[in-house]
Amino acid sequence: MSNDVPAGEKRPVFAGNWKLFGTLAESVALATDVQAGVAGVDGADVIVAPSFLALATVTARLGAGGPANRVAVAAQDCYWEAKGAFTGEIAPAQLVDAGCRYVIIGHSERRQLMGETDADVNRKTRAALGAGLKPIICIGETLAERDGGTTLAVVERQLDAALRDISDADLGRSLVAYEPVWAIGTGRTATPAQAQEVHHTIRTRVAATRSAAVAAALPILYGGSVKPDNIRALMAEVDVDGALVGGASLSADSFVRIVKEGTEVWLRS
Ligand code: 13P
């Protein structure tokens, strides 16, 4: 397994979002167990996203394994300013300094619980790209929006807003995660067909506003109650390029199974 992706080669991506879980010791143990577990997996990009406090320690420990089998590290959020009087915030360059290569942006928990807006998500995405981080931009509808029939319009609005003023080259370093809010932490995953419909809409939107090549290259991850027993069906969908995993990424066993089974399906299809 390697995270050094040759240009133009698309690989499945599996990211574990650890949210607000884990002591420093637990985070290091989980990350090193994941790295050991996926060492034999060829052709996937594997990412873990510990809490801010564990980032530097986890990246230092994972880095010791060498680039050939290195699991990459993401932060769960960042601020859009590079420095200044912004008490409690963390700048993208500080994440790079801590060894991060990715950052999750616009997670629905941040949108819903911390009041993040589409404009904030855009500012954070641009700042992350400016610092050399790869943003994992999260979008997804609430249950009320799905029931109201506005899923595709909501997702397109969030996507357009997040990608405002981002160049095609920068979009080429970005990932999108479709996470229906009603499927997060509920055990109620989207059906593969529901995921595919939205992923296809996202790719079609990028093709229309950018180009077919940019759209084809964009990794679109699915998130929301992904487990070892549903990853195969999700990854079999043509526009599902990987998964952003919450609860099931807190166990190395289940996350490694998701990576292995998901990669196997990807390589076969
Ligand atoms: P769960 O996998 O726990 O549903 O969480 C999904 C998620 O929010 C990942 O970012």
Side-chain angles (χ1 to χ4, degrees), residues 134-222:
K134 295 181 181 209
I136 303 172
I137 305 159
C138 301
I139 58 180
E141 82 286 3
T142 62
L143 187 57
E145 289 163 342
R146 175 159 286 268
D147 288 346
T150 57
T151 295
L152 302 182
V154 166
V155 165
E156 285 184 338
R157 186 206 77 220
Q158 292 175 332
L159 182 73
D160 288 352
L163 301 186
R164 226 183 106 218
D165 296 333
I166 287 168
S167 69
D168 286 359
D170 276 347
L171 186 48
R173 297 191 290 118
S174 307
L175 303 85
V176 169
Y178 167 55
E179 298 206 314
V181 177
W182 48 272
I184 294 176
T186 59
R188 182 182 163 195
T189 187
T191 65
Q194 286 172 325
Q196 169 59 24
E197 182 190 27
V198 178
H199 284 223
H200 180 72
T201 298
I202 293 167
R203 208 178 302 286
T204 302
R205 184 79 184 167
V206 173
T209 55
R210 309 293 179 127
S211 70
V214 170
L218 179 69
I220 308 175
L221 317 185
Y222 169 78

Side-chain angles (χ1 to χ4, degrees), residues 15 17 19 104 107-109 138 179 183-187 223-227 244-249:
N17 175 8
K19 307 190 179 182
I104 297 170
H107 191 280
S108 66
E109 286 149 17
C138 301
E179 298 206 314
I184 294 176
T186 59
S225 297
V226 172
K227 308 277 183 249
L244 180 54
V245 186
S249 73

